[in-house]
Amino acid sequence: MIWPATLLGAVIGLAVASIPGALLGGLLGQVLDRRLRLQSWAALRERLLPGAAQRDEWLLFVLLGRLAKSGGRVLPAHIQQARSEMQRLGLKAEEQRQAIAAFARGKTGRDSLRGPLQRQQARAEMLLRACWRMAWVDGQVDAAERELLNLWGKWLGVSTAAQAQFSDAYAPPRGPLVSTASNAYQRALNLLNVTADAEPAQIKQAYRRLLSRHHPDKLAGSGATPESVREATEHTRELHQAYDLIRQRHGFR
């Protein structure tokens, strides 16, 4: 942990008034560090540089980008889920462009998130629910995703019990798709309406057709209820899972 204002105060004080100045500068800097919760140089830059501060309204998409990249590779399902969140929030074209830029920035992992999150405790549930939806979009939450979510929950002041409730709300239902490998594969084939001997081109075509038909973006502007959007999002996630399983079994990209 680095106390940037403490170090800067000590250095400036040393230059101005030797050792007594360094002690006084360090003491004043420590007060500033504690009051502003500055624990890194990045946090100090957020306070001092106008362009470095995180715009709170796009913080959600920075978080989603960080989550999507935490496993090493951003999947199409992650991108679709980010678009679903834009739809859920009713973002217009320019707002969507800014959200996409925030998502891309989140993938770099360069942003210091502790300060921005601590300022967003009033929106904690909304942020974490969206993050759990993203984490579960590929059907599982890996260790890196869970570690991030637990850390963000701590900074947002959310209890472990509440985090478990958010996770359970978006975990895929237990059923035949995950009961055994053979049952999962057969259900995936049924979901895409293809046979085990189908060619890769046929499987891809069936997947894209169903994805286009059932994607929640299709509900945009139709006055659909939140429940309908959620059902469409769930069905889209099942299609992603089914296609990934079949693709891996058949060995094509």
Side-chain angles (χ1 to χ4, degrees), residues 97-210:
R97 283 192 286 272
Q98 294 183 64
I100 291 169
F103 184 84
R105 191 170 71 246
K107 291 190 296 183
T108 68
R110 296 172 185 167
D111 289 281
S112 174
L113 297 174
R114 180 170 186 161
L117 283 170
Q118 288 175 334
R119 295 194 298 270
Q120 291 296 309
Q121 294 189 4
R123 301 170 63 213
E125 181 172 347
M126 183 279 288
L127 291 171
L128 287 173
R129 282 186 178 277
C131 287
W132 280 108
R133 286 193 291 269
M134 175 63 78
W136 277 115
V137 76
D138 59 351
Q140 59 183 359
V141 178
D142 62 28
E145 291 171 323
R146 197 170 292 278
E147 182 178 356
L148 281 176
L149 285 162
N150 287 338
L151 181 62
W152 296 346
K154 180 180 177 181
W155 290 343
L156 284 163
V158 174
S159 69
T160 302
Q163 282 273 57
Q165 290 179 351
F166 299 157
S167 175
D168 291 344
Y170 303 106
R174 300 178 183 275
L177 186 63
V178 295
S179 59
T180 66
S182 60
N183 285 347
Y185 176 59
Q186 186 57 53
R187 174 152 184 204
L189 292 172
N190 294 341
L191 193 60
L192 266 60
N193 196 26
V194 296
T195 60
D197 58 356
E199 294 294 327
Q202 293 175 285
I203 297 170
K204 290 178 182 179
Q205 184 180 25
Y207 167 66
R208 289 167 182 162
R209 184 176 63 251
L210 289 169

Side-chain angles (χ1 to χ4, degrees), residues 33 35 44 47 50 61 67 81 114 123 130 134 143 145 152 160 181 188 195 197 203 214 233 236:
D33 279 328
R35 177 161 296 182
L44 181 62
R47 293 285 184 173
F61 292 94
L67 269 179
Q81 183 60 33
R114 180 170 186 161
R123 301 170 63 213
M134 175 63 78
E145 291 171 323
W152 296 346
T160 302
T195 60
D197 58 356
I203 297 170
H214 296 286
T233 301
T236 299

